[in-house]
Amino acid sequence: AIYTPQDEMLAVLYTKDKNERLDTIRRAFRIEEYKAAWENATNVADTIRKNYISLGDKIKSLGDNKKNLNLEIDSRDKLSQELLIIDRQIEVVEKDLVSLEDKRDKYRIERDNVSGSRQKISDLDKRIVEKNNDIESIKKSNDKIRDDIEKIDTEIERQNAIKIPADKPKSDIEKALVSLEDKRDKYRNELAIISRDISIYNNIKNKDIDVCPTCGKPIDIQEFENRIEISNKNYEKLSEYITKIENDAKVSKHILETFREYENIQRDIIRNKELREKYQHNIEENNSKIEDINSTIENLRNDLANAKIESGEFDILTSDLRKIEKDINIQIAKDKQVHIKKSEINGKIS
């Protein structure tokens, strides 16, 4: 069999899908192209119709617009004049505002310079109290030093009442003591010799010896007894001398000891006088300190008076600043209002 275009058309016509069959027929007969052309022509006709109507309306209102234009020009001239007035107002307001802000800044600087016056007053009051306390402390110290000086004067008076312990110089008494001790030592040596002789004599006597062991002479018992008796007397005499010398030496030592005590007292008097002079110097130094502190207190009181003046200035400046801030806020509000009005006029002009 031979396949022909008619057979293809029949196949399309007998297809079961309606949409596919319709689409194939539209392509075959170019129906879509005619539909698009028709829609384009309709759109152009609508546009021409609308433009015609619009142009008609504009031609109709042209006369009215000319009249309104003249009115708008007159209104613009009035608004321009009003705008000039507002610009001058803005200039004045902003000039006043700048002046007020400069004045505020100046007052702030002045107030800052005296802003610490209240704290300064508190600090100065505290320092004055401290300085007065220092003076009281120094005065108490002076009172104690005066009491010590009075005690020293009493002691010096007592020490001066002590007299020198002997009419002779100390050196003479020292020499006499040395002489007494030399005599005592000499007598002690002699006493030892006598004591030895007595012992020998008694020994010979008790042993009943006929011949002297030292010289070889016959012994006379009576002679030995006489020797023993003389030696005993010499021993007692020397013992008495030694006792007297030792007593005299004790007296001399006591006098010398009293001399030493007297010399110590004299040294104490010198030390006490030096200490009194030192204490007196301390009082003078303290009095000088009191004068310096009083001078400092006077300066502090002057500073306190100035600080109180500054504190008053601070209060005045603070009050003035509040007024200036209020005036600035008023000027800012005015400036805002005229700018708003200017914006409204500019809106109307444009």
Side-chain angles (χ1 to χ4, degrees), residues 18-190:
K18 179 181 178 182
N19 292 328
E20 183 180 351
R21 184 172 62 247
L22 183 59
D23 185 58
T24 301
I25 292 170
R26 284 176 177 173
R27 286 199 306 273
F29 294 101
R30 299 172 67 186
I31 294 172
E32 288 295 330
E33 294 180 9
Y34 292 110
K35 183 180 178 182
W38 182 81
E39 288 178 352
N40 289 335
T42 301
N43 290 334
V44 170
D46 289 341
T47 301
I48 291 171
R49 191 180 297 110
K50 288 178 181 179
N51 289 336
Y52 172 78
I53 293 169
S54 177
L55 287 172
D57 291 338
K58 288 182 178 179
I59 290 169
K60 184 180 179 180
S61 62
L62 184 59
D64 295 336
N65 287 338
K66 185 177 181 181
K67 185 186 294 184
N68 292 334
L69 180 60
N70 292 329
L71 293 173
E72 185 174 350
I73 290 171
D74 292 339
S75 177
R76 281 176 178 270
D77 291 339
K78 290 180 180 179
L79 290 173
S80 297
Q81 292 298 323
E82 190 175 349
L83 192 60
L84 289 174
I85 294 171
I86 289 174
D87 284 337
R88 285 195 291 271
Q89 289 177 349
I90 289 173
E91 184 179 353
V92 172
V93 169
E94 289 183 349
K95 184 178 180 181
D96 291 342
L97 183 59
V98 169
S99 176
L100 285 170
E101 288 176 343
D102 290 342
K103 189 175 181 180
R104 177 195 62 189
D105 293 340
K106 180 182 177 182
Y107 275 36
R108 280 179 176 174
I109 292 171
E110 291 178 1
R111 190 181 67 171
D112 289 341
N113 291 334
V114 296
S115 61
S117 57
R118 292 181 180 176
Q119 182 62 43
K120 190 185 294 184
I121 289 171
S122 176
D123 293 341
L124 289 170
D125 282 333
K126 183 178 179 181
R127 288 185 63 190
I128 289 171
V129 170
E130 289 175 351
K131 292 300 179 182
N132 283 323
N133 289 338
D134 290 342
I135 289 176
E136 291 302 318
S137 177
I138 293 173
K139 286 182 177 179
K140 288 181 181 179
S141 177
N142 279 349
D143 290 340
K144 183 180 182 304
I145 293 173
R146 289 189 184 93
D147 290 341
D148 292 338
I149 289 176
E150 186 176 350
K151 291 177 182 178
I152 290 172
D153 288 341
T154 302
E155 180 64 15
I156 291 174
E157 185 178 357
R158 183 192 69 80
Q159 290 170 336
N160 283 329
I162 298 173
K163 303 300 181 182
I164 192 168
D167 296 333
K168 295 180 180 180
K170 178 184 175 183
S171 58
D172 291 349
I173 296 174
E174 289 174 338
K175 289 177 182 178
L177 178 61
V178 171
S179 177
L180 288 171
E181 289 176 342
D182 289 342
K183 283 183 181 180
R184 179 200 61 194
D185 293 340
K186 176 184 176 183
Y187 288 164
R188 281 179 177 175
N189 289 332
E190 291 178 1

Side-chain angles (χ1 to χ4, degrees), residues 300-323:
L300 290 173
R301 285 174 176 164
N302 291 333
D303 292 342
L304 180 61
N306 292 330
K308 288 180 178 179
I309 293 172
E310 289 178 356
S311 178
E313 291 176 355
F314 178 85
D315 293 337
I316 293 171
L317 288 168
T318 300
S319 177
D320 290 343
L321 274 171
R322 290 195 188 101
K323 294 176 182 178

Side-chain angles (χ1 to χ4, degrees), residues 214-258:
T214 56
C215 61
K217 294 180 180 180
I219 293 174
D220 185 350
I221 298 300
Q222 185 62 42
E223 182 182 354
F224 269 91
E225 288 180 351
N226 291 336
R227 286 183 180 180
I228 291 170
E229 183 179 358
I230 292 170
S231 295
N232 284 330
K233 288 180 179 180
N234 290 335
Y235 187 90
E236 289 177 359
K237 187 176 180 180
L238 284 173
S239 295
E240 289 177 357
Y241 284 160
I242 290 171
T243 299
K244 184 177 182 304
I245 289 171
E246 287 179 344
N247 289 334
D248 292 342
K250 285 180 180 180
V251 172
S252 296
K253 286 180 179 180
H254 177 71
I255 293 171
L256 288 174
E257 181 64 28
T258 306

